[in-house]
Amino acid sequence: MKRKVFLAVAVLGAVAYAGISFSNDEPRPERRVAPSGVLSVTVTTPHEERVVERIGATGTLVPREDVAVVAEVANARILSVSAEVGDHVRKGDTLAALDTEGVRLQVAQMEAEYAKARDEFARVDSIRDTGAVSKGLVTEKKNAVDAIKAKLEEARLAMRRTVVTAPESGILFERRATVGGLANTSEALFRIARNGEIEAELRVPENSANRVSPMAAVSLSIAGMPGPMPGTVRLVSPRIDASDRAAAVRVSIPGKDGLKVGGYVHGDIALTTVTAPAVPVTAIQRDAAGTFVWTVGAEGRIARHPVTLLLQNDDVALVAGVTPELRVVARAGSLVRSGDVVKLVEAR
């Protein structure tokens, strides 16, 4: 029984094989299998963009014009102080009063000497026509009167100067005068920001200072102030400071209250405006031969395309040497090589 079953199965298998082998004489089409492991890259096309090149610099807030108030009477004791830091003062306002005792004695002495000299001149002048005195003596006495009168006027001026007044209107931002101290003619008792004008002084490195122009726009970030503030370059110093190899750039801040002298400030200064084809910064590649981007041809094949980098700003790079028709690899550029076949993903 088992032998008959085995023979039947063998016959059926032979028939099936013959049917498969001889039922169709035409060759069957070959099935193509997509290659596995092909890298997907994001591509974009260059587009023209206008970008303002900027340079960042830090600095401090300073008075536009710093007015130093010094005592004009040496070694006079300070009796009182009438102004405090932060006060708005007007030209001529009393800031401090100095001891007048020494100056008063000097004025009294000069007045006595002047009266004596005047009387002597009057006496000789009254008899000069009689020939009792020489013309030289009359001239001498007249000169003595003039000299002592000048000293008297100087002493009276010193008397008035014992009252220290504001030479200009503005905000008093520094006070060194203390009651009981001695006034020094070489040291400022007060400092005033003339007309209350405060501006930024930025320190720009010497390799960029020549590119900064007056009236250039500046975006300022000031400590304690919400959000950026607009400013304008007022002047660029022609001097490079040897201590930090930088030039001072003064930036005007229009109509802003609450600024504090000495406050920290960061500024982005506009240098030039560049209009050129733009690609993502991530598309820029570099090697020993220079700067380039990867492009993708019609068959999805990678090719090296040299470019010249004109400006890089945040996530955008402006370059020369590309056209709007190119498909540039925006990302994954470090993973491909020239001649690779890739799958394209259009950038959004």
Side-chain angles (χ1 to χ4, degrees):
M1 183 66 179
K2 292 181 179 180
R3 181 181 179 85
K4 292 180 179 180
V5 172
F6 177 79
L7 291 174
V9 172
V11 171
L12 291 174
V15 172
Y17 176 80
I20 293 173
S21 301
F22 304 107
S23 60
N24 188 357
D25 294 335
E26 297 181 1
R28 301 187 65 181
E30 181 182 353
R31 296 180 60 188
R32 294 184 179 180
V33 180
S36 60
V38 174
L39 179 66
S40 296
V41 297
T42 302
V43 295
T44 185
T45 55
H47 60 282
E48 190 174 88
E49 194 164 322
R50 181 175 179 268
V51 174
V52 178
E53 183 182 5
R54 297 178 179 274
I55 181 174
T58 59
T60 55
L61 296 177
V62 297
R64 176 168 180 166
E65 291 188 38
D66 184 350
V67 180
V69 183
V70 298
E72 297 181 81
V73 180
N75 299 320
R77 192 168 301 280
I78 301 172
L79 297 181
S80 64
V81 177
S82 307
E84 191 52 85
V85 171
D87 288 351
H88 290 256
V89 297
R90 293 182 178 276
K91 183 177 181 178
D93 286 353
T94 298
L95 305 181
L98 307 180
D99 185 7
T100 62
E101 183 177 355
V103 180
R104 190 184 304 112
L105 291 175
Q106 187 178 6
V107 170
Q109 181 182 355
M110 290 297 103
E111 287 177 341
E113 292 182 5
Y114 175 66
K116 179 181 177 182
R118 186 179 54 189
D119 291 343
E120 290 180 356
F121 169 69
R123 185 170 60 255
V124 298
D125 186 56
S126 64
I127 60 175
R128 66 178 177 176
D129 294 335
T130 64
V133 294
S134 65
K135 293 182 179 180
L137 179 61
V138 175
T139 302
E140 180 183 341
K141 294 299 182 180
K142 177 64 170 63
N143 292 339
V145 170
D146 293 340
I148 295 176
K149 182 179 180 181
K151 292 182 178 180
L152 174 59
E153 292 299 325
E154 184 178 354
R156 287 172 176 172
L157 178 61
M159 186 72 179
R160 293 193 296 271
R161 286 175 173 173
T162 57
V163 178
V164 180
T165 60
E168 296 288 346
S169 300
I171 298 176
L172 196 152
F173 69 90
E174 182 179 310
R175 166 193 160 180
R176 294 186 178 179
T178 56
V179 176
L182 291 178
N184 188 335
T185 55
S186 62
E187 183 178 350
L189 297 177
F190 305 92
R191 303 191 84 88
I192 297 172
R194 187 172 182 267
N195 296 327
E197 294 179 320
I198 307 297
E199 62 184 14
E201 181 178 278
L202 302 178
R203 308 296 298 176
V204 177
E206 62 179 327
N207 58 351
S208 300
N210 288 337
R211 303 184 63 197
V212 179
S213 303
M215 301 306 295
V218 184
S219 177
L220 299 171
S221 298
I222 300 174
M225 291 291 175
M229 300 170 54
T232 305
V233 173
R234 182 173 68 85
L235 65 84
V236 180
S237 173
R239 176 176 175 269
I240 300 297
D241 195 325
S243 63
D244 60 357
R245 310 307 307 172
V249 173
R250 289 293 189 100
V251 180
S252 298
I253 309 173
K256 186 62 179 179
D257 297 327
L259 300 178
K260 307 295 184 185
V261 173
Y264 173 83
V265 58
H266 178 275
D268 288 318
I269 307 172
L271 298 180
T272 57
T273 301
V274 179
T275 302
V279 297
V281 170
T282 53
I284 302 297
Q285 306 294 316
R286 294 176 177 85
D287 61 13
T291 306
F292 66 97
V293 295
W294 293 120
T295 60
V296 182
E299 298 179 356
R301 193 169 299 279
I302 292 290
R304 187 183 189 280
H305 189 91
V307 296
T308 301
L309 182 61
L310 302 177
L311 175 63
Q312 183 172 319
N313 184 32
D314 296 332
D315 58 349
V316 173
L318 300 188
V319 297
V322 296
T323 61
E325 296 77 21
L326 289 178
R327 289 185 294 179
V328 176
V329 177
R331 290 189 291 273
S334 61
L335 303 178
V336 298
R337 295 292 182 269
S338 184
D340 289 353
V341 176
V342 296
K343 180 180 179 181
L344 306 186
V345 178
E346 295 293 337
R348 295 182 178 180

